[in-house]
């Protein structure tokens, strides 16, 4: 479980782009009249993607408004599910699976290697705001471990060399893109 | 051995697309059911097949379907459980990624059997890339007239959608899944009422695992009796096994139930034996929630008979010397693995995933994690081992949902079979702090 709602920026006024709003409406339409709250989790994923990888209080209030539910109903859900970030993470979030089957094939070494390489501990973000290192519980890739998830992508059969390569690629990809 | 009912076409290039899937016999079961069978006929075929739920509990699917309440004028729902978060389990992902149309096809036939006009697939949020694949298949099925109004002129209407979770193991529990699908925290409900009476939005609901629903396709195509010919006794049909850990060839395999465990682990057709020429120390055959088996009880039961991949054979010996088939998450430990570390690792998983509603589970899983952690790091004492057993007893049977038991039983089993290894961690604290145990459990012969 996440720990709680912390950050609040009154000046931030989130607004989905037109295409995203169309997608949000499609998702709401998957449920019967009056059951629009069922779309909440999907919309929170969409909101994270649109608004810099996390859910600020204004973002959550905005989602509540769209679904015509109370803000507290959104906070409750956003703090229950581990995938949602209540604090702003780095540009790139690395989630290394730490559960049994991955541990049997060396996830401990992978986590340690990334910690050393990036000079952070699990849960921390690098000083340049580029990487946040997290651990995750079994991600359904146990036969292809060690593995880590980055965004929607699974990186499997990891070795320390592959991790180094991946970090380089990610750094290049994201140092040019702006941090929204 | 080696019949493929679900994965037959898995290696056909383009099988994830509608055209290729259809060319390879896809959607035949929908044609057959909607044109020649009543919903009741479909339920009867599933009953005749002996299919048991593939999500973990092994409850007969046909029987579950027959319990569905059918009050006049109230909608009924079929929900597919694609939450797949039990450590060691990754078969549903494989099936959905490779054969998304098989799941869609199974959903249509199963929804028809249950009289549901709206069905949902609930998939764990981390599988967003799989969600996109299945959502594309659903769109193709709509475009080709297999979903929507008046499917194939039969008068039957069905809408199907897929929805993500947000990262919570507990949402695999069926009532937590329903809560989550209603857009709430995944807190399991007190049963009764059971979902068959009051489920999604208070309406009668059936929740089935991905693999159970996919299996309905060959059952309808070939008949329940034909399906029941595969397997032994009450373990009929084929089963997807997710094999992980220290194996030469980990991965997803479709086996005939009844295959011997020894053949599954060692034959080249399957896992190809233990990686790096090592020996086997232990095995968790059905996902992290089932009891661990020490080397001498994996391929043979305590009676000395061959252990088979069936619900019954894996459970032979009860908790004293058996385990469970569970979800088919088959995790293999080589001689270098530390049982205490793994037990701690799993306990940490359950402590992390407890939804926090009941104190015995919320507090108990946390305590177990702490006690195991200090044992693993050589800071425990011998009383801690008994303390774990005590905590266990306080959790067991005192919780709203089975997560509490799922957390407690593996710890009990590990202590039962590997007590000496736990004691060793207390008496050799310096050694214990080094990561690898390295010494095979000395009282157990390795295989
Ligand atoms: C804590 C917990 C987690 C579960 N996780 C899953 C899961 O990820 N997938 C699944 O199919 N069933 C899971 N189940 C079992 C479901 O509650 C339910 O029994 C199952 O989906 C029924 O489908 P079946 O009859 O087709 O097996 C879980 C149960 C519990 C108690
Ligand atoms: S047993 Fe644990 S997971 Fe299940 S309802 Fe109680 S606290 Fe939640
Ligand atoms: S244990 Fe890492 S993906 Fe399952």
């Amino acid at each position: 479980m996440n720990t709680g709602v912390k950050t609040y920026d009154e000046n931030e006024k989130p607004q989905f782009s037109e295409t995203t709003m169309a997608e949000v409406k499609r998702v709401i339409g998957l449920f019967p009249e009056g059951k629009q709250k069922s779309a909440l989790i999907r919309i929170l994923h969409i909101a994270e993607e649109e608004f810099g990888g996390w859910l600020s209080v204004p973002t959550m209030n905005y989602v509540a408004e769209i679904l015509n539910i109370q803000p507290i109903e959104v906070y409750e859900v956003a703090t229950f599910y581990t995938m949602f970030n209540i604090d702003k993470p780095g540009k790139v979030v690395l989630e290394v699976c730490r559960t049994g089957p991955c541990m049997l094939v060396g996830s401990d070494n992978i986590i340690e290697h990334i910690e050393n390489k990036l000079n952070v501990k699990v849960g921390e973000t690098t000083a340049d705001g580029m990487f946040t290192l997290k651990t995750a519980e079994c991600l359904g890739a146990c036969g292809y471990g060690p593995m880590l998830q980055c965004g929607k992508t699974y990186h499997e059969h990891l070795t320390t060399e592959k991790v180094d390569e991946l970090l380089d690629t990610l750094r290049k990809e994201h140092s040019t893109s702006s941090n929204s | 051995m080696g019949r493929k009912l679900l994965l037959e076409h898995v290696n056909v290039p383009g099988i994830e697309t509608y055209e290729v899937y259809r060319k390879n016999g896809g959607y035949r079961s929908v044609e057959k059911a909607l044109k020649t069978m009543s919903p009741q006929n479909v339920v009867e075929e599933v009953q005749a097949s002996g299919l048991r739920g593939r999500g973990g509990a092994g409850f007969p699917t046909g029987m579950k379907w027959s319990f569905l309440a059918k009050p006049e004028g109230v909608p009924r729902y079929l929900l597919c459980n694609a939450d797949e978060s039990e450590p060691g389990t990754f078969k549903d992902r494989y099936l959905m990624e490779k054969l998304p149309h098989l799941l869609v096809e199974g959903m249509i036939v199963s929804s028809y059997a249950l009289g549901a006009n709206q069905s949902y697939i609930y998939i764990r949020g981390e599988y967003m890339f799989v969600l996109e694949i299945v959502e594309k298949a659903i769109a193709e099925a709509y475009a080709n007239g297999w979903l929507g109004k008046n499917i194939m002129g039969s008068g039957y209407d069905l809408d199907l959608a897929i929805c993500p979770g947000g990262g919570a193991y507990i949402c695999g529990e069926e009532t937590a899944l329903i809560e989550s699908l209603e857009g709430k925290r995944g807190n399991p409900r007190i049963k009764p009422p059971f979902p068959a009476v009051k489920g999604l939005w208070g309406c009668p609901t059936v929740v089935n695992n991905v693999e159970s629903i996919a299996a309905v396709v060959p059952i309808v195509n070939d008949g329940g009796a034909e399906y029941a010919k595969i397997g032994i006794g009450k373990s009929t049909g084929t089963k997807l096994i997710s094999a992980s850990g220290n194996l030469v060839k980990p991965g997803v395999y479709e086996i005939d139930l009844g295959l011997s465990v020894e053949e599954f682990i060692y034959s080249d057709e399957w896992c190809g034996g233990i990686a790096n020429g090592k020996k086997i120390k232990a095995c968790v055959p059905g996902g992290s929630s089932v009891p661990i088996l020490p080397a001498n009880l994996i391929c043979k039961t305590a009676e000395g008979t061959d252990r088979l991949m069936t619900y019954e054979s894996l459970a032979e010996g009860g908790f004293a010397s058996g385990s469970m088939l569970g979800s088919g998450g088959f995790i293999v430990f080589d001689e270098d693995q530390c049982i205490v570390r793994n037990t701690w690792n799993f306990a940490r998983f359950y402590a992390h995933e407890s939804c926090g509603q009941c104190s015995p589970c919320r507090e108990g899983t946390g305590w177990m994690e702490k006690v195991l952690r200090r044992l693993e790091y050589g800071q425990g004492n011998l009383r801690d081992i008994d303390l774990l057993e005590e905590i266990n007893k306080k959790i067991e049977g005192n919780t709203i949902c089975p997560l509490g038991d799922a957390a407690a039983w593996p710890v009990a089993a590990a202590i039962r079979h590997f007590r000496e290894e736990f004691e060793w961690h207390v008496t050799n604290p310096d050694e214990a702090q080094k990561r690898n145990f390295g010494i095979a459990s000395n009282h157990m012969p390795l295989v």
Side-chain angles (χ1 to χ4, degrees), chain B residues 39-89:
Chain B
Q40 186 53 30
N41 290 152
V42 180
V43 175
E44 280 158 13
E45 288 303 328
V46 173
Q47 279 171 334
S49 74
L51 173 67
R52 292 168 66 174
R54 304 300 196 216
F59 191 82
T61 306
M63 199 189 294
K64 183 188 258 188
W65 288 10
S66 70
F67 291 158
L68 184 65
K70 296 183 175 161
E72 204 59 39
V74 178
R76 304 190 274 278
Y77 295 101
L78 170 64
L79 307 180
C80 172
N81 190 342
D83 194 56
E84 190 166 73
S85 313
E86 170 96 350
T89 317

Side-chain angles (χ1 to χ4, degrees), chain B residues 296-297 300-307 316-317 321:
Chain B
N296 60 334
L297 290 173
K300 299 267 184 222
T301 64
E303 311 278 270
T305 55
D306 282 345
R307 183 90 75 184
E316 212 174 308
S321 65

Side-chain angles (χ1 to χ4, degrees), chain B residues 5 25 97 189 203 209 248 296 340 369 383 435:
Chain B
L5 295 182
E97 228 183 324
R189 296 176 181 172
C203 302
N209 174 257
V248 173
N296 60 334
V340 179
E369 192 270 332
R383 280 198 316 276
R435 188 157 289 168

Side-chain angles (χ1 to χ4, degrees), chain B residues 153-173:
Chain B
S154 64
Y156 175 62
D157 305 336
L158 176 65
D159 283 307
L160 175 64
I162 183 164
C163 319
Y169 167 68
I170 192 57
C171 290
E173 193 282 331

Side-chain angles (χ1 to χ4, degrees), chain B residues 1-8 54 211 218 226-241 252-264 269-270 307-314 325:
Chain B
M1 288 289 176
R3 235 161 319 185
K4 302 273 181 276
L5 295 182
L6 303 178
L7 302 183
E8 189 184 353
R54 304 300 196 216
E211 186 189 348
E226 201 55 34
Y227 187 86
K229 281 187 193 158
I230 307 171
I232 296 175
K234 288 188 176 162
S235 295
T236 60
T238 65
K239 173 92 190 81
L240 297 180
I241 304 291
V252 175
Y253 296 100
E254 181 173 7
I255 61 157
D256 286 8
L257 284 169
L259 178 73
S260 84
V261 172
E262 183 162 2
E263 198 177 338
F264 181 65
E269 193 186 344
W270 312 104
R307 183 90 75 184
L308 308 177
M309 303 285 280
T310 62
Y311 292 94
E312 294 75 22
S313 179
L314 280 168
L325 178 64

Side-chain angles (χ1 to χ4, degrees), chain A residues 1 26 30 37-38 42 45 76-77 80-83 98 100 103-104 108 138-140 143 149 152 156, chain B residues 90 93 120 124 126-127 129 132 135 165-167 180-181 183-186 201 246 337 341 345 348:
Chain A
M1 265 191 257
R26 183 187 73 82
L30 298 174
K37 187 176 172 183
S38 287
R42 181 88 178 255
H45 284 298
E76 275 183 346
V77 165
F80 183 83
Y81 296 94
T82 48
M83 284 182 81
R98 67 176 188 182
M103 183 182 75
L104 294 179
D108 284 339
C138 181
L139 292 168
Q149 177 169 27
K152 285 182 195 168
E156 301 172 329
Chain B
F90 48 102
R93 166 192 167 193
Y120 294 99
R124 64 181 298 181
E126 293 90 342
Y127 284 178
F129 60 103
E132 286 168 3
E135 199 158 61
S180 184
L181 200 54
K184 301 186 225 152
R185 296 166 82 96
W201 302 314
N246 307 118
Q337 301 300 341
R341 188 171 183 80
N345 182 296
R348 182 177 65 179

